[in-house]
Amino acid sequence: MPELPEVETVVRGIRNALVGRTIQSIWTDWPKIIATPAPELFAAQIRDQSIHALGRRGKYIIIHLSHDILIIHLKMTGRLYVVPDASQHDADRWMHFYAQLDDGQQLRFSDARKFGRVYLTHDIAAVVGKMGPEPLDEAFTLDSFRERLGGRAKIIKALLLDQSFIAGVGNIYADEALHRAGIHPQRPSDSLTPQETERLYKMIRTVLQDGVDYEGASINWYRKPDGTRGESQQHFFVYDQTGKPCRQCGAPIIKMRVANRGSHFCPNCQQ
DNA sequence: CGGACAACCTGGCGGC
DNA sequence: TGCCGCCAGGTTGTCC
């Protein structure tokens, strides 16, 4: 599910319910979901810490506590939401972790595929330190994009998916950005003209900002914290549009394997 | 350094 | 309907 727009929507959706609360305890039935420290230590260390602020870095949810930082990655099928009390304990068959809060609320982490992870650390950089720039930040300029692109010969789609190159872009928004920029996903990154580079820069930001405005894409597993669907998927040009006519030229959208990921594009508009 | 691919897990879907 | 193989929005590690 979750790329930058989906993660941002989750953070916005749970922030108000959490800030100011205190974590009393945690529960899990799948200890591997706790990446660090060891589960017993995690439980002891997080006890009685209050929640000061919530943020996002790439696809990671960052929760600032009184002494540590709680970091959550939803991977493919993770869902994070807050319930007012524990009454629906059995309602979610995929819940594998929750934090009990002082006002009776629970912060729940549900994940069908169990790929998601939670980290409790003092050292935020140890988890997210190697990530590239935030594409929606003002600091991410066309010049900085050109600079990072310079001298690299890598399949452009693989580069967009590389979190150390740029943070938060995943398979959906990579396909959408490449389409809107008119660039074939398999192009070597050093073959882009200055005009193509500028279009790609703009379209990365456009598709991500639109995704945030539409509150994320609910293709399959992703839901907003209130359980409803985002609307981003209703505005895709190519992702999940195989065989449908391209919005620009009418040619059928095709799907093929690029950088080991299903990749959707218009064979006519994207050369 | 780049690229291919398996692994981590489970559910959903298309095909037969 | 039932079973089977395939695919899935992410990331990491291994091998060539």
Side-chain angles (χ1 to χ4, degrees):
Chain A
M1 104 184 197
E3 305 181 28
L4 187 154
E6 291 73 33
V7 176
E8 179 65 27
T9 302
V10 169
V11 169
R12 292 180 183 184
I14 60 177
R15 177 178 284 131
N16 287 346
L18 294 184
V19 171
R21 302 272 60 86
T22 295
I23 296 172
Q24 292 182 329
S25 60
I26 59 140
W27 166 92
T28 185
D29 67 350
W30 188 258
K32 285 177 74 173
I33 207 170
I34 297 174
T36 189
E40 315 77 51
L41 191 54
F42 186 107
Q45 196 172 321
I46 203 168
R47 180 180 298 276
D48 295 332
Q49 292 207 44
S50 56
I51 300 170
H52 287 190
L54 275 76
R56 177 191 57 74
R57 179 76 173 97
K59 301 171 191 172
Y60 289 85
I61 294 159
I62 311 288
I63 303 180
H64 296 270
L65 306 178
S66 34
H67 300 295
D68 290 309
I69 301 151
L70 177 63
I71 303 175
I72 301 172
H73 199 300
L74 304 173
K75 291 291 177 79
M76 304 276 268
T77 53
R79 293 175 180 169
L80 195 65
Y81 57 97
V82 177
V83 294
D85 56 60
S87 61
Q88 317 154 38
H89 192 99
D90 297 323
D92 185 343
R93 58 185 282 215
W94 298 299
M95 180 172 71
H96 297 297
F97 176 97
Y98 71 73
Q100 181 65 50
L101 307 179
D102 58 334
D103 63 349
Q105 294 188 107
Q106 286 183 347
L107 172 64
R108 293 183 170 180
F109 190 9
S110 165
D111 187 357
R113 284 175 78 175
K114 300 177 177 170
F115 284 180
R117 293 291 181 265
V118 300
Y119 309 73
L120 185 65
T121 180
H122 205 65
D123 182 9
I124 189 170
V127 181
V128 301
K130 290 176 182 169
M131 254 187 308
E134 282 294 325
L136 296 181
D137 273 7
E138 285 182 17
F140 181 64
T141 61
L142 175 58
D143 282 345
S144 72
F145 182 59
R146 284 194 201 287
E147 197 173 317
R148 297 181 67 77
L149 213 46
R152 307 182 67 152
K154 195 171 172 178
I155 292 171
I156 188 64
K157 172 145 182 190
L159 198 53
L160 293 183
L161 294 176
D162 181 348
Q163 300 300 295
S164 68
F165 176 70
I166 180 169
V169 177
N171 203 38
I172 291 178
Y173 295 98
D175 278 3
E176 292 296 317
L178 287 167
H179 173 74
R180 302 272 287 268
I183 298 168
H184 192 291
Q186 219 157 22
R187 286 273 297 281
S189 55
D190 62 354
S191 75
L192 302 193
T193 67
Q195 292 76 17
E196 286 175 328
T197 302
E198 181 170 3
R199 282 207 304 272
L200 182 55
Y201 165 78
K202 287 181 177 171
M203 287 306 136
I204 289 168
R205 290 167 59 97
T206 297
V207 299
L208 291 174
Q209 185 59 57
D210 287 353
V212 171
D213 293 343
Y214 293 129
E215 301 186 296
S218 291
I219 292 292
N220 191 356
W221 287 93
Y222 167 72
R223 294 294 182 275
K224 293 188 277 177
D226 67 5
T228 62
R229 293 166 183 261
E231 295 180 2
S232 184
Q233 70 282 358
Q234 296 170 27
H235 304 273
F236 291 163
F237 282 65
V238 289
Y239 186 84
D240 203 30
Q241 306 299 307
T242 310
K244 294 181 182 169
C246 170
R247 292 202 201 183
Q248 304 291 334
C249 74
I253 301 301
I254 64 174
K255 181 179 183 182
M256 68 176 283
R257 211 85 186 154
V258 177
N260 264 316
R261 308 297 300 275
S263 300
H264 314 72
F265 62 98
C266 172
N268 185 42
C269 294
Q270 295 173 253
Q271 303 284 332

